[in-house]
Amino acid sequence: MAIKAIKGMNDILPGDIETWQFLEQKVREVFGTYGFNEIRTPVVEKTELFCRSIGETTDIVEKEMYTFNDKSENSLTLRPEGTAPAMRAFIQHKLHNLDPVNKLYYMGPMFRYERPQKGRYRQFHQIGAEVIGVENPMIDAQVLAMLHHYFCAIGIDAVELQVNSLGCPDCRPNYRKFLVEFLESRLETLCGDCQRRYQTNPLRVLDCKVPGCKAATLKAPAVLDHLCGACEEHFTAVKSHLDTLEIPYVLNARMVRGLDYYVRTTFELVTDQLGSQSAVAAGGRYDGLVESLDGPALPGIGFAIGIERLVLMKGGEKVQASRPDIFFAAMGEAAAEKSFILMSQLQRAGIHAEMDYHGRSLKSQMRRANKLAARYTLILGDQELESGEAELKNMDQSSQEKVQLNDLAALIARLTAQAVLT
Ligand code: HAM
Protein backbone atom coordinates (compact mmCIF):
# COMPACT_ATOMS: atom_id res chain seq x y z
CA MET A 1 0.00 0.00 0.00
CA ALA A 2 1.27 3.48 -0.86
CA ILE A 3 2.66 5.43 2.10
CA LYS A 4 0.55 8.32 3.32
CA ALA A 5 1.39 11.39 5.43
CA ILE A 6 0.99 11.14 9.21
CA LYS A 7 -2.47 11.91 10.61
CA GLY A 8 -2.86 15.60 11.37
CA MET A 9 0.17 16.54 9.26
CA ASN A 10 -0.66 18.04 5.89
CA ASP A 11 1.05 18.55 2.56
CA ILE A 12 0.74 22.05 1.15
CA LEU A 13 0.37 21.66 -2.58
CA PRO A 14 0.86 23.96 -5.57
CA GLY A 15 -2.43 25.80 -5.98
CA ASP A 16 -2.63 26.31 -2.19
CA ILE A 17 0.98 27.37 -1.63
CA GLU A 18 0.38 30.73 -3.36
CA THR A 19 -1.89 31.75 -0.46
CA TRP A 20 0.84 30.73 2.02
CA GLN A 21 3.44 32.70 0.09
CA PHE A 22 1.16 35.73 0.03
CA LEU A 23 0.61 35.50 3.81
CA GLU A 24 4.35 35.11 4.41
CA GLN A 25 5.29 37.97 2.12
CA LYS A 26 2.88 40.27 3.97
CA VAL A 27 4.55 39.29 7.26
CA ARG A 28 7.90 40.47 5.92
CA GLU A 29 6.37 43.70 4.60
CA VAL A 30 4.26 44.64 7.62
CA PHE A 31 6.49 43.37 10.45
CA GLY A 32 9.49 45.02 8.75
CA THR A 33 7.81 48.43 9.07
CA TYR A 34 7.66 47.91 12.84
CA GLY A 35 11.36 47.05 13.06
CA PHE A 36 11.07 43.26 13.50
CA ASN A 37 13.86 40.95 12.32
CA GLU A 38 13.50 37.28 11.47
CA ILE A 39 14.91 34.53 13.68
CA ARG A 40 15.01 30.81 12.78
CA THR A 41 15.50 28.21 15.47
CA PRO A 42 15.67 24.40 15.19
CA VAL A 43 12.40 22.45 15.25
CA VAL A 44 13.81 20.19 17.99
CA GLU A 45 14.83 21.43 21.44
CA LYS A 46 15.66 19.87 24.81
CA THR A 47 12.39 18.78 26.45
CA GLU A 48 13.34 20.70 29.60
CA LEU A 49 12.99 24.03 27.74
CA PHE A 50 9.25 23.51 27.25
CA CYS A 51 8.61 22.03 30.70
CA ARG A 52 10.24 25.02 32.35
CA SER A 53 8.58 27.69 30.21
CA ILE A 54 5.12 26.47 29.15
CA GLY A 55 4.56 24.77 32.53
CA GLU A 56 4.46 21.17 33.77
CA THR A 57 0.70 21.21 34.42
CA THR A 58 -0.40 22.62 31.05
CA ASP A 59 -2.18 20.48 28.44
CA ILE A 60 0.70 21.06 26.03
CA VAL A 61 3.36 19.64 28.36
CA GLU A 62 1.16 17.00 30.00
CA LYS A 63 -0.40 15.52 26.89
CA GLU A 64 0.57 17.08 23.60
CA MET A 65 4.32 17.06 23.14
CA TYR A 66 6.17 14.88 20.65
CA THR A 67 8.95 13.81 22.99
CA PHE A 68 11.56 11.16 22.30
CA ASN A 69 15.02 10.08 23.34
CA ASP A 70 17.82 10.39 20.81
CA LYS A 71 20.51 7.74 20.49
CA SER A 72 22.44 9.34 23.39
CA GLU A 73 19.35 9.16 25.64
CA ASN A 74 18.78 12.93 25.58
CA SER A 75 15.10 13.80 25.91
CA LEU A 76 14.17 15.96 22.92
CA THR A 77 10.87 17.52 21.87
CA LEU A 78 9.50 18.78 18.56
CA ARG A 79 8.71 22.41 19.37
CA PRO A 80 5.03 22.87 20.29
CA GLU A 81 5.37 26.67 20.06
CA GLY A 82 7.92 29.33 19.17
CA THR A 83 8.28 31.63 22.18
CA ALA A 84 10.41 29.34 24.35
CA PRO A 85 12.86 28.51 21.51
CA ALA A 86 13.14 32.20 20.61
CA MET A 87 13.94 33.05 24.26
CA ARG A 88 16.45 30.18 24.46
CA ALA A 89 18.21 31.57 21.38
CA PHE A 90 17.97 35.14 22.72
CA ILE A 91 19.68 34.10 25.96
CA GLN A 92 22.22 31.78 24.33
CA HIS A 93 23.42 34.43 21.88
CA LYS A 94 23.12 37.31 24.38
CA LEU A 95 21.09 39.37 21.94
CA HIS A 96 20.42 41.91 24.72
CA ASN A 97 24.10 42.92 24.50
CA LEU A 98 23.60 43.92 20.87
CA ASP A 99 20.45 45.93 21.45
CA PRO A 100 18.43 46.73 24.60
CA VAL A 101 15.22 46.20 22.60
CA ASN A 102 14.90 43.10 20.45
CA LYS A 103 12.01 42.64 18.04
CA LEU A 104 11.98 39.18 16.52
CA TYR A 105 9.62 37.30 14.26
CA TYR A 106 9.49 33.72 13.01
CA MET A 107 7.42 31.51 10.76
CA GLY A 108 7.48 27.75 10.79
CA PRO A 109 6.04 24.40 11.80
CA MET A 110 5.02 23.56 15.38
CA PHE A 111 3.92 20.15 16.68
CA ARG A 112 1.22 19.19 19.15
CA TYR A 113 -0.33 15.77 19.60
CA GLU A 114 -3.93 17.02 19.59
CA ARG A 115 -7.05 15.42 18.16
CA PRO A 116 -7.03 16.63 14.54
CA GLN A 117 -10.09 18.45 13.24
CA LYS A 118 -10.79 21.47 11.02
CA GLY A 119 -8.30 24.16 12.05
CA ARG A 120 -6.47 21.87 14.49
CA TYR A 121 -3.54 19.78 13.33
CA ARG A 122 -0.58 17.90 14.76
CA GLN A 123 1.88 19.75 12.57
CA PHE A 124 0.71 23.32 12.13
CA HIS A 125 2.44 26.58 11.30
CA GLN A 126 2.74 29.78 13.25
CA ILE A 127 3.75 33.31 12.43
CA GLY A 128 5.13 34.63 15.69
CA ALA A 129 6.47 37.97 16.91
CA GLU A 130 8.27 38.73 20.17
CA VAL A 131 9.58 41.95 21.73
CA ILE A 132 12.11 41.60 24.54
CA GLY A 133 13.21 44.49 26.73
CA VAL A 134 10.24 46.88 27.00
CA GLU A 135 7.89 47.21 29.96
CA ASN A 136 6.20 50.38 28.71
CA PRO A 137 2.51 49.64 27.90
CA MET A 138 3.05 51.47 24.61
CA ILE A 139 4.73 48.33 23.29
CA ASP A 140 1.67 46.22 24.17
CA ALA A 141 -0.43 48.59 22.05
CA GLN A 142 2.20 48.61 19.28
CA VAL A 143 2.29 44.82 19.09
CA LEU A 144 -1.51 44.74 18.88
CA ALA A 145 -1.47 47.54 16.29
CA MET A 146 0.94 45.47 14.19
CA LEU A 147 -1.31 42.42 14.49
CA HIS A 148 -4.29 44.55 13.45
CA HIS A 149 -2.29 46.04 10.56
CA TYR A 150 -1.29 42.56 9.37
CA PHE A 151 -4.90 41.36 9.31
CA CYS A 152 -5.90 44.47 7.32
CA ALA A 153 -3.03 43.82 4.89
CA ILE A 154 -4.13 40.23 4.23
CA GLY A 155 -7.78 41.23 3.91
CA ILE A 156 -9.24 39.37 6.92
CA ASP A 157 -11.57 41.45 9.04
CA ALA A 158 -13.96 38.91 10.57
CA VAL A 159 -11.96 38.82 13.81
CA GLU A 160 -12.43 40.28 17.24
CA LEU A 161 -9.56 41.30 19.49
CA GLN A 162 -10.18 40.23 23.07
CA VAL A 163 -7.88 41.47 25.82
CA ASN A 164 -7.37 40.69 29.48
CA SER A 165 -4.79 41.12 32.20
CA LEU A 166 -3.63 38.11 34.21
CA GLY A 167 -1.81 40.12 36.87
CA CYS A 168 1.72 39.41 38.04
CA PRO A 169 3.51 37.28 40.67
CA ASP A 170 2.58 39.97 43.22
CA CYS A 171 -1.17 39.90 42.71
CA ARG A 172 -1.88 36.50 41.18
CA PRO A 173 -1.30 34.38 44.35
CA ASN A 174 -3.97 36.39 46.11
CA TYR A 175 -6.40 35.91 43.21
CA ARG A 176 -5.51 32.22 43.01
CA LYS A 177 -6.47 31.82 46.65
CA PHE A 178 -9.95 33.28 45.97
CA LEU A 179 -10.34 31.14 42.87
CA VAL A 180 -9.29 27.89 44.59
CA GLU A 181 -11.75 28.60 47.42
CA PHE A 182 -14.49 29.24 44.86
CA LEU A 183 -13.68 26.04 42.95
CA GLU A 184 -13.53 24.00 46.14
CA SER A 185 -17.11 25.01 46.89
CA ARG A 186 -18.20 23.52 43.54
CA LEU A 187 -15.79 20.62 43.28
CA GLU A 188 -18.31 17.87 42.62
CA THR A 189 -19.69 19.69 39.55
CA LEU A 190 -16.24 19.88 37.90
CA CYS A 191 -14.93 17.32 35.39
CA GLY A 192 -12.26 14.79 36.43
CA ASP A 193 -9.46 16.83 34.80
CA CYS A 194 -10.47 19.98 36.65
CA GLN A 195 -10.91 18.18 39.98
CA ARG A 196 -7.34 17.04 39.57
CA ARG A 197 -5.86 20.39 38.51
CA TYR A 198 -7.92 22.96 40.39
CA GLN A 199 -5.18 23.38 42.99
CA THR A 200 -2.12 23.10 40.76
CA ASN A 201 -3.50 25.20 37.90
CA PRO A 202 -6.84 26.74 38.92
CA LEU A 203 -6.86 29.26 36.05
CA ARG A 204 -7.12 26.43 33.51
CA VAL A 205 -10.46 25.43 35.04
CA LEU A 206 -11.89 28.73 33.73
CA ASP A 207 -10.89 27.65 30.23
CA CYS A 208 -12.35 24.12 30.42
CA LYS A 209 -14.73 23.34 27.54
CA VAL A 210 -16.79 20.75 29.51
CA PRO A 211 -20.33 22.23 29.88
CA GLY A 212 -20.49 21.35 33.62
CA CYS A 213 -17.27 23.27 34.30
CA LYS A 214 -18.41 26.20 32.18
CA ALA A 215 -21.63 26.45 34.19
CA ALA A 216 -19.87 25.97 37.52
CA THR A 217 -17.41 28.79 36.89
CA LEU A 218 -19.85 31.36 35.48
CA LYS A 219 -19.65 33.43 38.65
CA ALA A 220 -15.99 32.72 39.40
CA PRO A 221 -13.96 35.70 40.63
CA ALA A 222 -12.26 37.55 37.74
CA VAL A 223 -8.55 38.22 37.81
CA LEU A 224 -9.26 41.77 36.57
CA ASP A 225 -10.91 42.54 39.92
CA HIS A 226 -7.82 41.44 41.82
CA LEU A 227 -4.98 43.28 40.07
CA CYS A 228 -2.36 45.06 42.17
CA GLY A 229 -1.89 48.81 41.68
CA ALA A 230 1.00 48.43 39.22
CA CYS A 231 -0.84 45.89 37.02
CA GLU A 232 -4.02 47.95 37.10
CA GLU A 233 -2.09 51.04 36.00
CA HIS A 234 -0.29 49.09 33.25
CA PHE A 235 -3.50 47.63 31.87
CA THR A 236 -5.31 50.99 31.97
CA ALA A 237 -2.46 52.49 29.94
CA VAL A 238 -2.57 49.61 27.41
CA LYS A 239 -6.29 50.18 26.85
CA SER A 240 -5.82 53.92 26.55
CA HIS A 241 -3.05 53.49 23.94
CA LEU A 242 -5.28 51.09 21.99
CA ASP A 243 -8.00 53.74 22.00
CA THR A 244 -5.52 56.37 20.81
CA LEU A 245 -4.43 54.11 17.95
CA GLU A 246 -8.09 53.30 17.21
CA ILE A 247 -7.53 49.55 17.53
CA PRO A 248 -10.93 47.99 18.30
CA TYR A 249 -11.00 45.47 21.19
CA VAL A 250 -13.29 43.99 23.80
CA LEU A 251 -12.48 42.94 27.36
CA ASN A 252 -12.67 39.25 28.14
CA ALA A 253 -12.07 38.84 31.86
CA ARG A 254 -12.42 35.04 31.57
CA MET A 255 -9.60 34.63 29.09
CA VAL A 256 -6.82 32.49 30.51
CA ARG A 257 -4.10 31.24 28.25
CA GLY A 258 -2.97 27.64 27.91
CA LEU A 259 0.66 28.45 28.69
CA ASP A 260 1.94 29.32 32.16
CA TYR A 261 4.44 32.04 31.26
CA TYR A 262 1.90 34.83 30.80
CA VAL A 263 1.59 37.83 33.10
CA ARG A 264 -0.36 41.07 32.72
CA THR A 265 -1.67 41.74 29.17
CA THR A 266 -3.03 38.69 27.32
CA PHE A 267 -5.07 38.68 24.16
CA GLU A 268 -6.69 36.56 21.47
CA LEU A 269 -7.97 37.30 18.00
CA VAL A 270 -11.10 35.22 17.67
CA THR A 271 -13.45 34.43 14.83
CA ASP A 272 -16.77 32.65 14.55
CA GLN A 273 -15.86 31.29 11.10
CA LEU A 274 -13.83 28.28 12.24
CA GLY A 275 -16.18 26.36 14.50
CA SER A 276 -14.62 25.40 17.80
CA GLN A 277 -11.10 26.49 16.80
CA SER A 278 -11.95 30.14 17.28
CA ALA A 279 -8.51 31.61 18.08
CA VAL A 280 -6.69 32.72 14.95
CA ALA A 281 -3.93 34.42 16.93
CA ALA A 282 -3.04 34.74 20.58
CA GLY A 283 -0.36 36.08 22.85
CA GLY A 284 0.56 38.27 25.75
CA ARG A 285 3.26 39.41 28.14
CA TYR A 286 5.77 37.01 29.67
CA ASP A 287 7.86 39.33 31.84
CA GLY A 288 9.47 36.63 34.02
CA LEU A 289 10.18 34.07 31.29
CA VAL A 290 13.64 35.14 30.15
CA GLU A 291 14.89 35.27 33.74
CA SER A 292 13.32 31.90 34.58
CA LEU A 293 15.34 30.40 31.72
CA ASP A 294 18.53 31.79 33.35
CA GLY A 295 18.68 34.89 31.17
CA PRO A 296 18.64 38.55 32.21
CA ALA A 297 15.55 39.94 33.97
CA LEU A 298 13.94 41.41 30.86
CA PRO A 299 10.24 41.76 30.09
CA GLY A 300 8.72 40.31 26.92
CA ILE A 301 5.54 40.35 24.91
CA GLY A 302 4.45 38.64 21.71
CA PHE A 303 1.90 36.67 19.78
CA ALA A 304 1.53 33.80 17.36
CA ILE A 305 -0.90 33.46 14.46
CA GLY A 306 -2.04 30.04 13.21
CA ILE A 307 -1.32 30.04 9.46
CA GLU A 308 -3.69 27.13 8.64
CA ARG A 309 -6.49 29.09 10.30
CA LEU A 310 -5.69 32.14 8.16
CA VAL A 311 -5.73 29.97 5.05
CA LEU A 312 -9.12 28.54 6.06
CA MET A 313 -10.43 32.05 6.59
CA LYS A 314 -9.19 33.09 3.15
CA GLY A 315 -11.36 30.18 1.96
CA GLY A 316 -11.58 29.63 -1.79
CA GLU A 317 -9.97 33.01 -2.44
CA LYS A 318 -7.06 31.76 -4.52
CA VAL A 319 -3.93 33.79 -4.96
CA GLN A 320 -2.92 33.41 -8.60
CA ALA A 321 0.21 31.41 -9.40
CA SER A 322 2.83 33.11 -11.54
CA ARG A 323 1.74 33.17 -15.24
CA PRO A 324 4.32 32.16 -17.84
CA ASP A 325 5.38 35.17 -19.90
CA ILE A 326 5.84 32.96 -22.93
CA PHE A 327 5.00 29.43 -24.03
CA PHE A 328 6.85 27.81 -26.94
CA ALA A 329 4.74 25.57 -29.15
CA ALA A 330 7.13 23.59 -31.34
CA MET A 331 6.37 21.46 -34.39
CA GLY A 332 9.08 18.88 -35.09
CA GLU A 333 12.39 17.99 -33.48
CA ALA A 334 14.49 20.87 -34.83
CA ALA A 335 11.87 23.42 -33.67
CA ALA A 336 11.72 21.74 -30.25
CA GLU A 337 15.52 22.05 -29.97
CA LYS A 338 15.37 25.77 -30.92
CA SER A 339 12.49 26.35 -28.46
CA PHE A 340 14.50 24.61 -25.76
CA ILE A 341 17.48 26.94 -26.34
CA LEU A 342 15.34 30.11 -26.53
CA MET A 343 13.35 29.09 -23.44
CA SER A 344 16.55 28.50 -21.43
CA GLN A 345 18.01 31.85 -22.52
CA LEU A 346 14.82 33.68 -21.53
CA GLN A 347 14.67 31.92 -18.15
CA ARG A 348 18.23 33.05 -17.44
CA ALA A 349 17.11 36.59 -18.28
CA GLY A 350 14.40 36.31 -15.59
CA ILE A 351 11.51 35.61 -17.92
CA HIS A 352 9.04 32.87 -17.02
CA ALA A 353 9.18 30.66 -20.11
CA GLU A 354 7.65 27.24 -20.70
CA MET A 355 7.45 24.67 -23.48
CA ASP A 356 5.85 21.32 -24.17
CA TYR A 357 8.18 18.34 -23.68
CA HIS A 358 6.02 15.68 -25.28
CA GLY A 359 6.10 16.54 -29.01
CA ARG A 360 2.30 16.67 -29.09
CA SER A 361 -0.01 18.22 -31.68
CA LEU A 362 -0.16 22.00 -32.03
CA LYS A 363 -3.72 21.89 -30.72
CA SER A 364 -2.79 20.18 -27.47
CA GLN A 365 0.24 22.45 -27.03
CA MET A 366 -2.03 25.49 -27.35
CA ARG A 367 -4.43 23.92 -24.86
CA ARG A 368 -1.54 23.63 -22.41
CA ALA A 369 -0.53 27.27 -23.03
CA ASN A 370 -4.10 28.29 -22.19
CA LYS A 371 -4.19 26.13 -19.06
CA LEU A 372 -0.98 27.77 -17.82
CA ALA A 373 -2.47 31.18 -18.74
CA ALA A 374 0.66 32.10 -20.70
CA ARG A 375 0.74 35.76 -21.75
CA TYR A 376 2.34 34.97 -25.13
CA THR A 377 2.88 31.92 -27.25
CA LEU A 378 5.48 31.53 -29.95
CA ILE A 379 4.75 28.90 -32.60
CA LEU A 380 7.86 27.38 -34.16
CA GLY A 381 7.89 25.01 -37.16
CA ASP A 382 10.26 24.24 -40.06
CA GLN A 383 9.08 27.34 -41.92
CA GLU A 384 9.88 29.68 -39.00
CA LEU A 385 13.29 28.07 -38.52
CA GLU A 386 14.07 28.67 -42.17
CA SER A 387 12.93 32.31 -42.27
CA GLY A 388 14.26 33.11 -38.78
CA GLU A 389 10.96 34.85 -38.08
CA ALA A 390 7.92 33.73 -36.04
CA GLU A 391 4.51 34.96 -34.85
CA LEU A 392 4.37 36.04 -31.23
CA LYS A 393 0.78 35.64 -30.17
CA ASN A 394 -0.62 37.82 -27.39
CA MET A 395 -3.00 35.44 -25.63
CA ASP A 396 -4.89 38.15 -23.72
CA GLN A 397 -5.58 40.35 -26.72
CA SER A 398 -5.58 37.64 -29.44
CA SER A 399 -3.22 39.82 -31.49
CA GLN A 400 -0.03 38.74 -33.27
CA GLU A 401 3.26 40.32 -34.20
CA LYS A 402 6.36 39.12 -36.00
CA VAL A 403 9.61 38.62 -34.04
CA GLN A 404 13.12 37.77 -35.19
CA LEU A 405 14.30 34.50 -33.61
CA ASN A 406 17.93 35.65 -33.35
CA ASP A 407 17.04 39.03 -31.78
CA LEU A 408 16.75 37.84 -28.21
CA ALA A 409 17.08 41.37 -26.77
CA ALA A 410 14.03 42.57 -28.72
CA LEU A 411 12.04 39.53 -27.57
CA ILE A 412 13.02 40.12 -23.94
CA ALA A 413 12.12 43.81 -24.23
CA ARG A 414 8.73 42.89 -25.68
CA LEU A 415 7.98 40.36 -22.95
CA THR A 416 9.14 42.51 -20.04
CA ALA A 417 7.16 45.51 -21.29
CA GLN A 418 4.06 43.32 -21.24
CA ALA A 419 4.87 41.84 -17.81
CA VAL A 420 5.04 45.34 -16.32
CA LEU A 421 1.71 46.29 -17.84
CA THR A 422 -0.18 43.24 -16.55
P1 HAM B 1 -1.09 29.44 21.40
O1 HAM B 1 -2.35 30.10 21.83
O2 HAM B 1 -0.80 28.11 21.97
O3 HAM B 1 0.08 30.45 21.76
O4 HAM B 1 -1.03 29.33 19.83
C1 HAM B 1 -1.16 30.47 19.00
C2 HAM B 1 -2.01 30.18 17.78
O5 HAM B 1 -1.49 29.04 17.09
C3 HAM B 1 -3.45 29.79 18.09
O6 HAM B 1 -4.25 30.94 18.30
C4 HAM B 1 -3.85 29.06 16.82
O7 HAM B 1 -4.20 29.99 15.81
C5 HAM B 1 -2.55 28.37 16.43
N1 HAM B 1 -2.60 26.95 16.87
C6 HAM B 1 -2.32 26.45 18.08
N2 HAM B 1 -2.44 25.11 18.10
C7 HAM B 1 -2.83 24.74 16.86
C8 HAM B 1 -3.12 23.50 16.21
N3 HAM B 1 -3.03 22.32 16.87
N4 HAM B 1 -3.48 23.51 14.92
C9 HAM B 1 -3.57 24.67 14.22
N5 HAM B 1 -3.29 25.87 14.76
C10 HAM B 1 -2.93 25.93 16.06
C11 HAM B 1 1.40 30.22 21.53
O8 HAM B 1 1.82 29.30 20.88
C12 HAM B 1 2.31 31.30 22.09
N6 HAM B 1 3.71 30.92 21.82
C13 HAM B 1 1.98 32.64 21.47
C14 HAM B 1 2.86 33.75 21.96
C15 HAM B 1 3.92 34.28 21.34
N7 HAM B 1 2.74 34.35 23.14
C16 HAM B 1 3.70 35.23 23.26
N8 HAM B 1 4.43 35.21 22.19
Side-chain angles (χ1 to χ4, degrees):
M1 205 161 64
I3 300 167
K4 291 204 173 135
I6 294 163
K7 186 176 169 194
M9 304 199 178
N10 300 312
D11 301 308
I12 308 161
L13 303 176
D16 292 329
I17 201 76
E18 291 77 15
T19 307
W20 286 70
Q21 289 167 341
F22 164 77
L23 296 170
E24 289 163 3
Q25 182 204 331
K26 289 289 172 198
V27 167
R28 299 187 197 287
E29 271 171 40
V30 174
F31 291 18
T33 339
Y34 292 77
F36 282 71
N37 284 311
E38 187 174 355
I39 181 169
R40 297 186 194 186
T41 62
V43 288
V44 187
E45 297 274 356
K46 290 186 181 159
T47 304
E48 186 195 352
L49 173 66
F50 302 112
C51 299
R52 276 173 61 183
S53 54
I54 300 172
E56 297 275 7
T57 60
T58 58
D59 281 353
I60 297 180
V61 171
E62 274 187 350
K63 314 180 198 162
E64 297 171 358
M65 295 206 303
Y66 280 89
T67 297
F68 57 95
N69 280 2
D70 69 7
K71 291 199 190 321
S72 316
E73 296 299 312
N74 298 309
S75 178
L76 306 180
T77 293
L78 296 186
R79 63 180 183 193
E81 59 104 51
T83 309
M87 294 312 118
R88 196 262 315 132
F90 172 84
I91 297 164
Q92 183 175 339
H93 303 286
K94 299 189 171 58
L95 297 187
H96 52 282
N97 287 344
L98 303 177
D99 199 328
V101 178
N102 277 269
K103 298 179 184 175
L104 307 171
Y105 77 84
Y106 48 84
M107 297 188 258
M110 309 291 159
F111 303 84
R112 295 185 194 175
Y113 193 79
E114 294 193 82
R115 201 165 40 80
Q117 61 178 77
K118 179 181 166 196
R120 190 168 69 196
Y121 309 101
R122 290 183 173 168
Q123 174 175 325
F124 60 98
H125 297 75
Q126 287 186 340
I127 294 164
E130 315 288 354
V131 182
I132 309 118
V134 188
E135 200 192 346
N136 190 327
M138 277 182 185
I139 203 75
D140 303 46
Q142 268 270 289
V143 162
L144 287 167
M146 182 170 89
L147 188 60
H148 180 76
H149 183 166
Y150 178 71
F151 274 74
C152 292
I154 61 172
I156 293 182
D157 55 10
V159 281
E160 179 179 79
L161 173 62
Q162 301 186 346
V163 298
N164 193 16
S165 174
L166 290 183
C168 69
D170 282 342
C171 49
R172 201 163 331 142
N174 192 31
Y175 166 68
R176 244 179 97 113
K177 211 172 74 213
F178 278 111
L179 185 60
V180 170
E181 272 168 25
F182 175 89
L183 296 172
E184 227 148 26
S185 70
R186 284 158 179 79
L187 208 53
E188 56 299 348
T189 54
L190 301 181
C191 72
D193 262 356
C194 287
Q195 289 191 0
R196 189 175 47 79
R197 67 185 169 192
Y198 85 97
Q199 276 191 325
T200 48
N201 204 342
L203 265 76
R204 295 295 299 150
V205 181
L206 298 183
D207 204 28
C208 182
K209 303 285 180 290
V210 175
C213 297
K214 273 189 168 175
T217 56
L218 266 184
K219 294 210 166 72
V223 61
L224 271 185
D225 298 328
H226 295 268
L227 297 181
C228 62
C231 286
E232 179 82 55
E233 200 181 311
H234 194 274
F235 193 48
T236 305
V238 172
K239 289 182 290 180
S240 151
H241 293 316
L242 286 175
D243 291 337
T244 309
L245 298 179
E246 297 183 9
I247 306 297
Y249 66 90
V250 295
L251 281 185
N252 178 357
R254 283 182 67 90
M255 184 206 302
V256 293
R257 304 274 302 114
L259 304 95
D260 281 355
Y261 49 60
Y262 290 114
V263 293
R264 293 192 165 173
T265 318
T266 49
F267 52 86
E268 285 186 356
L269 262 193
V270 297
T271 179
D272 54 13
Q273 293 186 349
L274 296 178
S276 56
Q277 304 311 310
S278 58
V280 192
R285 264 198 178 271
Y286 45 84
D287 292 348
L289 178 60
V290 178
E291 194 178 10
S292 79
L293 293 172
D294 301 324
L298 289 171
I301 179 167
F303 63 75
I305 308 171
I307 306 188
E308 282 79 0
R309 295 187 188 177
L310 292 184
V311 172
L312 283 171
M313 287 192 78
K314 292 295 279 177
E317 217 182 291
K318 290 269 181 220
V319 176
Q320 192 163 23
S322 151
R323 295 176 66 186
D325 296 308
I326 184 165
F327 184 90
F328 288 93
M331 305 297 295
E333 250 176 62
E337 178 74 19
K338 181 72 180 171
S339 296
F340 174 66
I341 294 167
L342 281 172
M343 176 182 77
S344 307
Q345 285 171 328
L346 289 176
Q347 286 165 337
R348 276 172 176 263
I351 289 188
H352 182 173
E354 297 273 355
M355 68 178 280
D356 183 84
Y357 301 96
H358 304 288
R360 291 184 294 195
S361 70
L362 182 60
K363 198 167 157 205
S364 47
Q365 292 194 50
M366 292 309 281
R367 216 180 289 132
R368 172 121 184 97
N370 271 320
K371 177 151 194 285
L372 294 174
R375 293 193 167 88
Y376 283 94
T377 47
L378 194 87
I379 302 173
L380 277 186
D382 291 341
Q383 203 186 321
E384 285 78 14
L385 288 186
E386 213 165 283
S387 65
E389 203 177 61
E391 296 282 355
L392 183 68
K393 184 168 181 210
N394 184 322
M395 303 290 278
D396 294 332
Q397 293 163 11
S398 303
S399 57
Q400 315 228 31
E401 62 186 292
K402 288 219 178 315
V403 288
Q404 300 301 315
L405 292 182
N406 54 7
D407 192 353
L408 198 67
L411 186 57
I412 291 173
R414 192 75 212 87
L415 295 170
T416 32
Q418 179 66 19
V420 170
L421 287 178
T422 51

